[in-house]
Amino acid sequence: MRFTKMHGCGNDYVYVNCFEESVSSPQQLAKAVSDRHFGIGSDGLVLILPSDTADCRMRMFNPDGSESEMCGNAIRCVAKYVYDKGIIHKPVVTVETLAGIKIIEVHTDENDIAQTLTVDMGAPVIEAGEVPVIAETSPVTDLMLSAWDREFRFTCVSMGNPHAVTFISENVSEFEVEKYGKVFECDEHFPRRANIEFAEIVSPERLKMRVWERGTGETLACGTGTCATVAAACLNGICPRKPVTVELLGGELVIEWKESDGHIYMTGPAEYTFEGDYYGKV
């Protein structure tokens, strides 16, 4: 099986071109290729497939084999792949996901190679039952949860997958993400588990964020999580509805929750790491 390793702000996946390749058991393949000691090493597996309703279709699997609805960093890489490889060579690419069809604008360099991409992530979902989160109020901006020795206040948002965002007062770079993230991911308030974001406020137009991803653990970046964090910041009056730069462990993303259409737009890079052949079972 031919594969391509790509990343967006360090959020790395193994990509398989299913216009040419066939994968019979993506859940098991995701576990195998994601292993950083015995596999290729990644935050998961992404299949790039034909679609009846869009230019192409994306399926994304976590290292534990579970399938996720959407990944903001991965979808930028998918758009770059199909553009650069000439599969879908258009300035605007549509990608079918389990969270609906997403529209990606491709920004190229002087050699017509995709460099950065802007994804219309759609409108954030803030109704409690649709996130989903079990809470007494909706939208959920003050869900108090405890873990170990601390209590946190969460704002819950879905960007096609569930997120719970908390703003912390200390330096997020030194925060114990694993200690608290793995507890909150499986909290009883989240029926489908949740991605957990810990954010530090630098200014109204700049945030720092680290993420504990559902089914994966901490990653260097999370596109949907970054969008959810900015949405949560806007809901809590921390950030304006204008471009906000979010610093992640793997780089920066620019997020804007536009007043005009209510959609969130994410702009960031997508890069190749390497290509190769995988000889295990697919």
Side-chain angles (χ1 to χ4, degrees), residues 4-61:
T4 301
K5 182 81 178 293
M6 302 180 72
H7 76 90
C9 291
N11 194 192
D12 61 334
Y13 290 91
V14 172
Y15 294 80
V16 179
N17 177 4
C18 290
F19 284 83
E20 299 178 357
E21 303 283 351
S22 177
V23 175
S24 59
S25 180
Q27 295 83 359
Q28 293 303 313
L29 181 63
K31 294 179 182 180
V33 300
S34 299
D35 191 295
R36 296 190 185 274
H37 298 287
F38 298 101
I40 299 166
S42 68
D43 290 329
L45 170 72
V46 175
L47 306 182
I48 305 172
L49 306 113
S51 170
D52 294 328
T53 57
D55 291 325
C56 62
R57 180 163 66 103
M58 177 182 91
R59 293 185 70 189
M60 178 262 179
F61 297 86

Side-chain angles (χ1 to χ4, degrees), residues 38 62 96:
F38 298 101
N62 297 309
E96 178 189 354

Side-chain angles (χ1 to χ4, degrees), residues 54-263:
D55 291 325
C56 62
R57 180 163 66 103
M58 177 182 91
R59 293 185 70 189
M60 178 262 179
F61 297 86
N62 297 309
D64 66 357
S66 60
E67 185 168 8
S68 288
E69 300 90 342
M70 218 333 243
C71 175
N73 290 313
I75 202 169
R76 295 199 312 276
C77 290
V78 168
K80 175 178 174 62
Y81 184 96
V82 297
Y83 184 91
D84 289 351
K85 302 290 186 181
I87 299 171
I88 310 293
H89 197 77
K90 302 192 301 184
V92 176
V93 176
T94 58
V95 180
E96 178 189 354
T97 76
L98 289 179
I101 295 175
K102 304 300 179 184
I103 301 170
I104 302 98
E105 183 179 354
V106 181
H107 311 290
T108 61
D109 64 11
E110 63 277 8
N111 298 313
D112 197 29
I113 301 298
Q115 293 296 297
T116 61
L117 303 99
T118 299
V119 185
D120 180 351
M121 299 290 285
V125 175
I126 58 177
E127 292 77 16
E130 296 182 30
V131 172
V133 54
I134 299 171
E136 296 180 356
T137 60
S138 183
V140 181
T141 58
D142 58 356
L143 178 66
M144 303 303 296
L145 298 178
S146 299
W148 299 105
D149 56 343
R150 290 188 59 172
E151 187 175 48
F152 297 82
R153 175 175 174 265
F154 285 96
T155 297
C156 300
V157 177
S158 173
M159 291 303 306
N161 51 0
H163 294 268
V165 182
T166 185
F167 296 94
I168 61 175
S169 58
E170 64 260 49
N171 184 351
V172 74
S173 300
E174 300 176 359
F175 186 76
E176 297 177 287
V177 169
E178 181 177 3
K179 176 180 178 179
Y180 296 99
K182 64 182 179 182
V183 175
F184 291 132
E185 174 193 352
C186 302
D187 188 272
E188 61 184 7
H189 290 82
F190 307 122
R192 297 209 310 263
R193 298 185 292 164
N195 302 279
I196 310 298
E197 284 78 32
F198 301 93
E200 174 189 349
I201 304 164
V202 179
S203 74
E205 296 175 15
R206 179 171 289 269
L207 304 172
K208 290 183 179 180
M209 188 269 280
R210 288 172 65 191
V211 57
W212 179 267
E213 287 202 53
R214 177 185 59 168
T216 303
E218 185 175 13
T219 59
L220 296 181
C222 175
T224 55
T226 309
C227 293
T229 297
V230 171
C234 293
L235 289 170
N236 286 282
I238 296 168
C239 293
R241 296 279 287 269
K242 58 192 295 186
V244 175
T245 299
V246 183
E247 300 177 34
L248 307 158
L249 291 180
E252 294 185 351
L253 294 173
V254 177
I255 311 296
E256 182 177 8
W257 187 3
K258 287 191 176 180
E259 297 271 14
S260 57
D261 60 6
H263 287 202

